[in-house]
Amino acid sequence: MQKLNSTISSIKPLDEAAMQAARRRQDQLTKPQGSLGVLEELSVQLAGIQGRALPVIDKKVIIVMAGDHGVVAEGVSAFPQEVTLQMMANFAGGGAGINVLARHSGCEVRVVDVGVAAPLDIPGVIPKKVRPGTANIAAGPAMSQEEAAAAIEAGIEVAGAELGGGATLLGTGDMGIGNTTPSSAILTVFSGAGPDVAIGRGTGIGDNALAKKQEVIKSAIEVNQPDAADPLDVLAKVGGLEIGGLAGVILGAAAGRAPVVIDGFISGAAAMIAAGLCPQCKSYMIASHVSVEPGHRLMLDTLGLKPMLFMDMRLGEGTGAALAASLAEASAKVLAEMATFAEAGVAEKNGPAS
Amino acid sequence: MQKLNSTISSIKPLDEAAMQAARRRQDQLTKPQGSLGVLEELSVQLAGIQGRALPVIDKKVIIVMAGDHGVVAEGVSAFPQEVTLQMMANFAGGGAGINVLARHSGCEVRVVDVGVAAPLDIPGVIPKKVRPGTANIAAGPAMSQEEAAAAIEAGIEVAGAELGGGATLLGTGDMGIGNTTPSSAILTVFSGAGPDVAIGRGTGIGDNALAKKQEVIKSAIEVNQPDAADPLDVLAKVGGLEIGGLAGVILGAAAGRAPVVIDGFISGAAAMIAAGLCPQCKSYMIASHVSVEPGHRLMLDTLGLKPMLFMDMRLGEGTGAALAASLAEASAKVLAEMATFAEAGVAEKNGPAS
C-alpha cells in the first residue's frame, strides 16, 4: 500500500502557465482560431501535463494488462478461459490486433501478466502475477484488498519503468476472458446505472448469456456489498487483476506527468477506479474511442472524457488507445510545426467580422 | 465534357468476390468477429475497390484544390480574400495544418490552383486555373457550365496523374476564402434543408455576418434557380471552382478504382456534386470526420457515409482526410497482418455461447 499511497500523493495539477503559452501559440497559427478543435485542446492538455509550452510526444507505449476471472464459471463469456493464455503468445508473436495497430501508430507494446490463471513463461511477457485469476465474484470477493493494492502497484511499477525508459505517452490495454463482467459491475457500483445501460454483450454473447450475465452481476453486488466510496474495496470485491493493473498504469502515468490514453470499456473501468482513488489523475487521461459496449458512453461522461473515434470497436487490447495515441502525437506536432500568421505572411481575421 | 463523360462511364461497381474473400479472412482473425467494427468494414470496402482480397494502401496523396469566390464581396467570410493566395505559399512552404497532419499520417500533399483570383507562380502548386475566381453568386451564376465542367476535368486529370504515379489512396482538401457559402448553397439545393441546418459560421463569423450569409444564399438560389436534377447546373450556378475540382478528384479516383477520403464540409459539397453525376462513385468514398458546420452531418447522411472522427474540426485543407487516410491504411494492415485463429493456436468462440 505504501507505493500506492506515495504515488497518489505525488500527482499534481497541470501546469497552467504552460497551458496558457500553448493556447497563445495555437491562436497565432495559420488557421481560424479553434478550427482544429480537439487537436488544439489536446495540445494544450499535453503542455499542461508535461509542463512545457511545446510538448513532445515521441516514444509511445501501450501497456496490455492480462488477468483471468473466476466468474467465467458462470458462463458469462463467448470464449473459453484458455484464450487469455493463448493470446499472450499471440501478443508476443506480434499477430494480435494491438500489435498491428501499435506498429501502424508508432507505438511499442508491453504485455504484463498480472493474473493469468495458468502458469506461463512467454519471452517478452512481463511477469507481475499477483494471483492466478480472481475468484468467482458471484460467490464472494474477487480478491483480497491486499491483492487489489498489489495489482495496482504492479501497474505503477510498469508505468514507472516505461517512463524511466523514455516513454512520453502511455496507453492502456487489456486481455482477460470474461472481463466485461467485472467492468460492468464496477460501472454499476459507481454510477448506479441499471443493467440495460451498464451491461452489454462483451465479445458477443447471445440473449440467454446476457440475461445470465445481468443476474451474475446483480448477485455479485448483493453478495459482496462493495462500498462505492472506497475504490479499493470495489476493485477487490467485484473487479479484476488486469483492471487493477491498469488503474496503476493510469496513476503511475499521472505521477510521472505523462499523458495516458484510455482504451475502451475495461480500461474505462480501471479509469473509474483510478479516478476514485485520486480525482486529479483525470486531467492526465485522454479518451480514445466509444466502444459498442452500452455502458462505455456513461463511463466516459462520468470521467469527463470526450472520445475522438467512433468506430464501433469492442476488441480491447489497447486497439483504440493505439489509434488515439497517434492523434495525441499529431496534436503536439500541430502546435510545434505549424507556421504562425507572422511567419507565413498570412493576413489574420478581419477586425469587424462580426 | 468528353473527359467527364468518359470518366463517369468507366466507374464500375465494387468487386464482390474480393469483398467476400476479405470478409472471410476478417472472420478468421484472432478477435471476436466484428470487434474491430469500422476497421473491418473499411478493409472489405478497400478490397472491393482494389479488386483484391488483401488490399494495399501505401502511397497516400491529399489533393488540395484552391479557388476564390466572388461572393466574398457580400461580407460572408471572416477572412479577407487575399488569404487564399497567401495560404498557397504556406502550403508550398510546409507550414499549414494540412502539411503537418499529412506528414504525420504519411500522406503527400498536392496543391492545385483551379481558380485563385490572383495570378500566382508558386513552385509546387499545380496550375489548372479555369478562371480567376467565381462571379458573385448573389447576383448571377458563379461560372458557365463549360467552366464548371473544366474544373471537374481538372480534378480528374490531377487524380489520374497521381494514380498513374502510384498513389493507392486519394484524399480531398480545399482552400478558398468564402467557400462555405457555395457549399451551403449546394447542400440547400440538393437537400432542401433550411438555413438553420445548412448554413453555419465557416471560419468563425458572428451573428450579423451569419444573417447576411443566410440572406445571400437565399438570393443566390432565387436569382440562379439551380436545377437539383442537374449537378453540373448546380455547380455552375452556386458552386465554386475548387468544389468542381474536388468533384473531379472523386470521380477520377472511382474511375481509377482507388479509395477517396472525403474531408469536411466543402469536400462534402463536392461529393454531393460527384454523387449526383454518378451515384456509383459513392462506394469509393470514405468519410473522415464530422465538422462543426451544422450541415455536414446531413451531407454525410445523404451520401450514406459514416464518419470516424469526432474532433470538432472545421479547418478544411484535407486535415480530416489526412487523419482518416491513416485509419484506412490501418484497416488494410489489420486484414493483412493479424494472425488467424489457426496460425496463432487460439481457440475460437464457444459453440453454445448463445
Side-chain angles (χ1 to χ4, degrees):
Chain A
M1 292 286 289
Q2 201 204 327
K3 187 189 294 284
L4 173 54
N5 290 330
S6 69
T7 299
I8 289 172
S9 65
S10 69
I11 295 173
K12 303 290 182 237
L14 303 195
D15 182 328
E16 290 288 340
M19 294 173 80
Q20 283 170 21
R23 169 52 59 205
R24 273 197 303 275
R25 183 172 163 83
Q26 279 289 5
D27 289 347
Q28 292 164 3
L29 299 177
T30 45
K31 56 178 170 51
Q33 290 184 4
S35 64
L36 280 176
V38 173
L39 285 177
E40 297 191 25
E41 296 165 22
L42 263 179
S43 73
V44 172
Q45 181 188 4
L46 293 174
I49 289 172
Q50 293 191 348
R52 47 182 171 177
L54 288 180
V56 174
I57 303 296
D58 39 28
K59 187 175 175 184
K60 311 185 294 295
V61 179
I62 307 294
I63 300 174
V64 182
M65 290 276 171
D68 273 311
H69 299 271
V71 73
V72 296
E74 305 287 340
V76 292
S77 178
F79 283 81
Q81 186 174 67
E82 71 215 49
V83 167
T84 305
L85 176 63
Q86 291 165 345
M87 283 299 294
M88 303 299 276
N90 198 19
F91 294 138
I98 182 57
N99 299 108
V100 176
L101 294 176
R103 283 196 297 268
H104 175 70
S105 303
C107 300
E108 298 178 27
V109 177
R110 301 287 179 272
V111 180
V112 185
D113 171 16
V114 213
V116 179
L120 65 91
D121 180 19
I122 298 171
V125 173
I126 300 170
K128 293 277 183 187
K129 201 190 295 279
V130 171
R131 54 176 280 172
T134 55
N136 182 351
I137 60 173
M143 60 190 122
S144 69
Q145 291 226 2
E146 290 69 28
E147 288 165 336
I152 296 175
E153 291 182 340
I156 292 171
E157 284 165 15
V158 173
E162 291 304 327
L163 298 180
T168 49
L169 177 147
L170 301 181
T172 66
D174 70 285
M175 181 68 225
I177 295 301
N179 66 9
T180 59
T181 294
S183 299
S184 288
I186 289 169
L187 175 60
T188 301
V189 171
F190 282 127
S191 72
D196 285 358
V197 171
I199 305 171
R201 292 176 190 273
T203 49
I205 52 176
D207 290 343
N208 292 341
L210 178 60
K212 176 70 182 170
K213 187 173 172 180
Q214 292 173 343
E215 192 186 299
V216 162
I217 290 170
K218 187 158 171 268
S219 298
I221 293 172
E222 282 174 3
V223 166
N224 288 296
Q225 296 289 319
D227 177 3
D230 180 355
L232 200 62
D233 187 63
V234 177
L235 177 63
K237 286 177 173 165
V238 299
L241 292 149
E242 80 279 47
I243 296 171
L246 290 173
V249 168
I250 294 164
L251 293 169
R257 297 201 75 89
V260 56
V261 182
I262 311 298
D263 189 39
F265 190 62
I266 285 82
S267 290
M272 293 188 96
I273 299 286
L277 290 166
C278 176
Q280 184 63 57
C281 79
K282 286 186 279 188
S283 47
Y284 293 81
M285 296 179 190
I286 295 172
S288 55
H289 74 115
V290 176
S291 159
V292 173
E293 274 296 302
H296 193 216
R297 195 63 201 242
L298 173 61
M299 254 179 199
L300 292 169
D301 288 346
T302 305
L303 291 162
L305 297 179
K306 196 170 160 187
M308 297 181 277
L309 294 156
F310 285 61
M311 298 182 73
D312 296 342
M313 289 163 63
R314 55 181 171 83
L315 176 55
E317 299 181 2
T319 47
L323 296 176
S326 178
L327 297 173
E329 183 180 0
S331 83
K333 288 180 179 173
V334 162
L335 185 63
E337 298 177 20
M338 271 187 74
T340 64
F341 284 104
E343 286 165 358
V346 173
E348 297 197 47
K349 195 169 169 177
N350 293 321
S354 54
Chain B
M1 291 287 290
Q2 202 204 325
K3 187 188 293 287
L4 174 54
N5 289 331
S6 69
T7 299
I8 288 172
S9 65
S10 70
I11 295 173
K12 303 289 182 241
L14 303 195
D15 182 329
E16 290 289 340
M19 294 173 80
Q20 283 170 22
R23 169 52 59 207
R24 273 197 303 275
R25 182 172 163 82
Q26 279 290 5
D27 288 347
Q28 292 164 2
L29 300 177
T30 44
K31 55 178 172 50
Q33 290 184 4
S35 63
L36 280 176
V38 173
L39 286 178
E40 297 191 26
E41 296 165 21
L42 262 179
S43 73
V44 172
Q45 182 188 3
L46 293 174
I49 290 172
Q50 293 190 349
R52 47 181 172 178
L54 288 181
V56 173
I57 303 296
D58 38 27
K59 186 175 176 184
K60 310 186 293 295
V61 179
I62 307 295
I63 300 174
V64 182
M65 290 277 171
D68 273 311
H69 299 270
V71 73
V72 295
E74 305 287 340
V76 292
S77 177
F79 283 81
Q81 186 175 67
E82 71 215 48
V83 168
T84 305
L85 177 63
Q86 291 164 347
M87 284 299 294
M88 302 299 277
N90 198 19
F91 293 138
I98 183 55
N99 300 107
V100 176
L101 294 177
R103 283 195 296 269
H104 175 70
S105 302
C107 301
E108 297 178 27
V109 178
R110 301 287 178 271
V111 181
V112 184
D113 171 16
V114 211
V116 178
L120 65 90
D121 180 20
I122 298 172
V125 173
I126 300 169
K128 293 277 182 186
K129 201 191 293 281
V130 172
R131 54 176 280 172
T134 55
N136 183 351
I137 60 173
M143 60 190 122
S144 69
Q145 291 224 3
E146 290 69 28
E147 288 164 338
I152 296 175
E153 291 183 339
I156 291 171
E157 284 165 15
V158 173
E162 291 304 328
L163 298 180
T168 49
L169 177 146
L170 301 181
T172 67
D174 69 285
M175 180 67 225
I177 294 301
N179 66 9
T180 59
T181 294
S183 299
S184 288
I186 289 169
L187 175 61
T188 301
V189 172
F190 283 127
S191 72
D196 285 359
V197 171
I199 305 171
R201 292 175 190 273
T203 49
I205 53 175
D207 290 342
N208 293 340
L210 178 60
K212 176 70 182 170
K213 185 173 172 180
Q214 291 173 343
E215 193 185 299
V216 162
I217 290 170
K218 188 158 172 268
S219 298
I221 293 172
E222 282 172 4
V223 166
N224 288 296
Q225 295 289 320
D227 176 4
D230 180 355
L232 200 62
D233 187 64
V234 177
L235 177 63
K237 285 178 173 165
V238 300
L241 292 149
E242 79 279 45
I243 295 171
L246 290 173
V249 168
I250 293 165
L251 293 169
R257 298 202 74 89
V260 55
V261 183
I262 311 298
D263 189 39
F265 189 62
I266 286 81
S267 290
M272 294 188 95
I273 299 286
L277 290 166
C278 176
Q280 184 63 58
C281 79
K282 286 187 280 188
S283 49
Y284 292 81
M285 296 180 190
I286 295 171
S288 55
H289 74 115
V290 175
S291 160
V292 173
E293 274 297 301
H296 193 215
R297 195 64 200 243
L298 173 61
M299 254 179 199
L300 292 169
D301 288 346
T302 304
L303 291 163
L305 297 178
K306 196 170 160 187
M308 297 181 278
L309 294 156
F310 285 61
M311 298 183 71
D312 296 341
M313 289 163 64
R314 55 181 170 84
L315 176 55
E317 298 181 3
T319 47
L323 296 176
S326 178
L327 298 173
E329 184 180 0
S331 82
K333 289 181 180 174
V334 161
L335 184 62
E337 299 178 19
M338 271 186 73
T340 62
F341 284 105
E343 285 165 358
V346 173
E348 298 198 45
K349 195 169 170 178
N350 293 321
S354 54

